[in-house]
Amino acid sequence: MSDGPERTDLLLVCSTGGHLLQLVALREVWEDVPRAWVTFDKSDARSLLAGERVFYAHGPTNRNIPNLLRNLRLSLGLLRQLRPRVVLTTGAGVAVPFVWIGRLFGARAVYVESFTRIDKPSLSLRLIAPLADRVYAQWPELRAEVPKARSLGSVFVDP
């Protein structure tokens, strides 16, 4: 990170693996927007995000309070520096502090629930939904559990 501001319009935040694949699958949404990424330093992230501006978060995040605190600190510094207009995420736990702190800095929050969540919301969605400006479900069954969710359809299938 540099000392001066490096503002960006969009901060994409996700865990590696399937969450990253789903956010990459939404390329047409973000490809023309000034952006930065937050994910874990794993081989899939280094490969899929080659040439992108990437900041690495602390993992694992599941039931790991020390890494939650590290990521809260990281999110505070990055969001202060980048000042994104929108935080877009597919989850999981790494997204929570970035959305929470992002809202404090005035960023809008957009959550796309994972393709694997058919009829029950993830813990990260439950923690983020009250702050989210938009929530998208990839399965219609999930809308019964998350009334504010809009239908998206699958990010993996062309309409």
Side-chain angles (χ1 to χ4, degrees):
M1 285 187 282
S2 70
D3 294 330
E6 297 178 29
R7 296 179 71 98
T8 188
D9 287 339
L10 179 63
L11 186 64
L12 300 117
V13 182
C14 63
S15 298
T16 48
H19 294 280
L20 177 60
L21 283 174
Q22 291 172 75
L23 207 46
V24 168
L26 292 170
R27 178 179 305 277
E28 69 184 49
V29 172
W30 53 258
E31 67 185 339
D32 295 328
V33 179
R35 64 192 171 273
W37 291 79
V38 174
T39 190
F40 301 124
D41 188 7
K42 302 278 185 163
S43 59
D44 61 338
R46 288 189 303 272
S47 174
L48 290 168
L49 301 178
E52 292 287 324
R53 191 162 141 211
V54 181
F55 299 92
Y56 294 114
H58 305 278
T61 56
N62 294 350
R63 296 173 203 74
N64 190 311
I65 299 301
N67 283 341
L68 172 64
L69 296 174
R70 287 181 189 104
N71 287 328
L72 273 167
R73 183 174 170 209
L74 176 65
S75 67
L76 184 61
L78 275 179
L79 289 158
R80 181 179 290 137
Q81 176 184 353
L82 300 174
R83 300 285 183 163
R85 292 183 323 138
V86 176
V87 176
L88 172 61
T89 184
T90 53
V94 69
V96 175
F98 285 88
V99 169
W100 289 350
I101 301 299
R103 293 298 290 168
L104 291 176
F105 282 100
R108 296 177 59 100
V110 178
Y111 192 99
V112 179
E113 181 62 292
S114 174
F115 179 78
T116 63
R117 292 301 183 145
I118 298 170
D119 56 8
K120 297 282 186 219
S122 63
L123 176 58
S124 55
L125 174 56
R126 291 188 310 237
L127 292 170
I128 289 172
L131 300 175
D133 294 284
R134 295 269 172 98
V135 174
Y136 292 99
Q138 296 188 53
W139 296 97
E141 295 88 342
L142 187 62
R143 291 190 64 220
E145 290 290 317
V146 185
K148 93 186 268 185
R150 298 174 183 205
S151 293
L152 174 69
S154 171
V155 300
F156 296 122
V157 179
D158 290 332

